[in-house]
Amino acid sequence: MTTVARKDNGVDVRRVTWVGLAWNVLLSVGKLLAGIWGGSQALVADAVHSISDFVTDIAVLVGSRYWNSPPDAEHPYGHRRFETLITIFIGLAVIGVGVGIGYNAIKNLIAGEESHPELIAAVMALVSVVVKEILFQYTRRAGRAIRSQALEANAWHHRSDAFSSIPVVIALVVAMLFPGLWFADAVGAIIVAGFVIFSGFEITWPGIHQVADKGADPATVEKLRTIALNHPAVISIHGFRTRYVGSDLHIDLHIVVDAQMTLRDAHDAAEEVEGLLINSGENIVDALVHIDPYDEEKAKK
């Protein structure tokens, strides 16, 4: 078995997250005040969504100090599951915020509570769209570069905030241009809730799959099988399995080699296959290759 030491990406994760956290605080306060002064429940709802970004930023900052901890006696495979759990937490937090926003908007709509927003609310919502899209691009690029599942999830949380602000802008403009459409602002808040809930499910579902030991996608599996089969000593392979632990990929397989090979040569071939797999660019940190001798009789059956 070949195992590589995983690079501690905690410093990079925290640096990027601190940037997002600072902007989330500014946007949350700005949208909340603009929503109150500008008389927009949709913008206040959007401010609550930005506050949830702030909460998940804290979760990433705390979690990154644990998931990069080295393996120990109680966690021989390391602590990468913490990253998956943080990702699921982010998704559930987003869903919870969406449900809350939708509930309040529907309640106000049924109650017939009129809303006549002012220009400051629309301007602040537009600023939020631009800033959150920039944060999404920045955070996702960093998450992909350092292969951080939680950071990518947080990036999509930024994107959901950007998307949710778009219907707010539209609703505010409609409400200002057509004062008779008093319900436009509440409808905008409901649309925000739909975006937020959908985004939460998109973040949560992959994390749930990883907790259930989901393997690599078919294209990645085929690529890795081809790499193993291309080794000159490998006749065939079977028992090929993969699973994710956080954003790390673990792999094990059986390779069939010439039965007349010496134990040393077979062992060397297995180590070479492990090295090829780990250097495949698929973030494999653990490869276990079992050796099987070629059985001509079995091969004929």
Side-chain angles (χ1 to χ4, degrees), residues 30-47:
K31 286 194 284 189
L32 185 61
L33 293 177
I36 294 172
W37 292 337
S40 170
Q41 59 176 310
L43 189 58
V44 171
D46 206 23

Side-chain angles (χ1 to χ4, degrees), residues 16-237:
V16 173
T17 305
W18 274 114
V19 172
L21 187 149
W23 279 105
N24 281 329
V25 170
L26 292 174
L27 285 175
S28 298
V29 173
K31 286 194 284 189
L32 185 61
L33 293 177
I36 294 172
W37 292 337
S40 170
Q41 59 176 310
L43 189 58
V44 171
D46 206 23
V48 173
H49 187 198
S50 292
I51 292 172
S52 76
D53 275 354
F54 169 78
V55 173
T56 55
D57 284 339
I58 295 296
V60 172
L61 288 171
V62 174
S64 66
R65 295 187 177 276
Y66 289 94
W67 73 58
N68 283 295
S69 300
D72 53 37
E74 293 184 343
H75 305 88
Y77 287 92
H79 300 78
R80 299 300 299 179
R81 289 284 189 217
F82 277 111
E83 184 176 16
T84 304
L85 293 175
I86 292 295
T87 300
I88 293 173
F89 167 77
I90 291 173
L92 293 177
V94 173
I95 292 171
V97 169
V99 171
I101 291 173
Y103 172 77
N104 288 326
I106 292 172
K107 183 177 68 174
N108 293 335
L109 194 60
I110 293 174
E113 183 176 321
E114 293 192 18
S115 177
H116 299 287
E118 299 178 8
L119 181 61
I120 186 174
V123 172
M124 190 64 226
L126 187 58
V127 169
S128 176
V129 172
V130 175
V131 173
K132 295 301 287 188
E133 178 62 21
I134 292 172
L135 281 176
F136 163 72
Q137 297 291 344
Y138 169 68
T139 306
R140 185 179 64 163
R141 187 159 49 247
R144 288 181 172 179
I146 63 178
R147 294 181 179 270
S148 172
Q149 177 189 26
L151 205 55
E152 285 202 58
N154 216 23
W156 283 103
H157 197 179
H158 291 314
R159 168 60 70 83
S160 75
D161 206 2
F163 279 171
S164 69
S165 294
I166 294 174
V168 172
V169 174
I170 296 173
L172 291 175
V173 171
V174 170
M176 286 187 295
L177 293 178
F178 306 97
L181 300 178
W182 57 267
F183 52 84
D185 190 46
V187 171
I190 293 172
I191 295 173
V192 169
F195 274 114
V196 173
I197 292 171
F198 179 74
S199 175
F201 276 114
E202 283 195 318
I203 293 170
T204 305
W205 194 240
I208 292 174
H209 272 301
Q210 287 197 15
V211 169
D213 277 345
K214 181 182 179 181
D217 61 87
T220 300
V221 170
E222 185 58 32
K223 171 186 173 181
L224 297 174
R225 285 175 59 88
T226 301
I227 289 173
L229 279 170
N230 282 340
H231 189 280
V234 176
I235 298 173
S236 63
I237 63 174

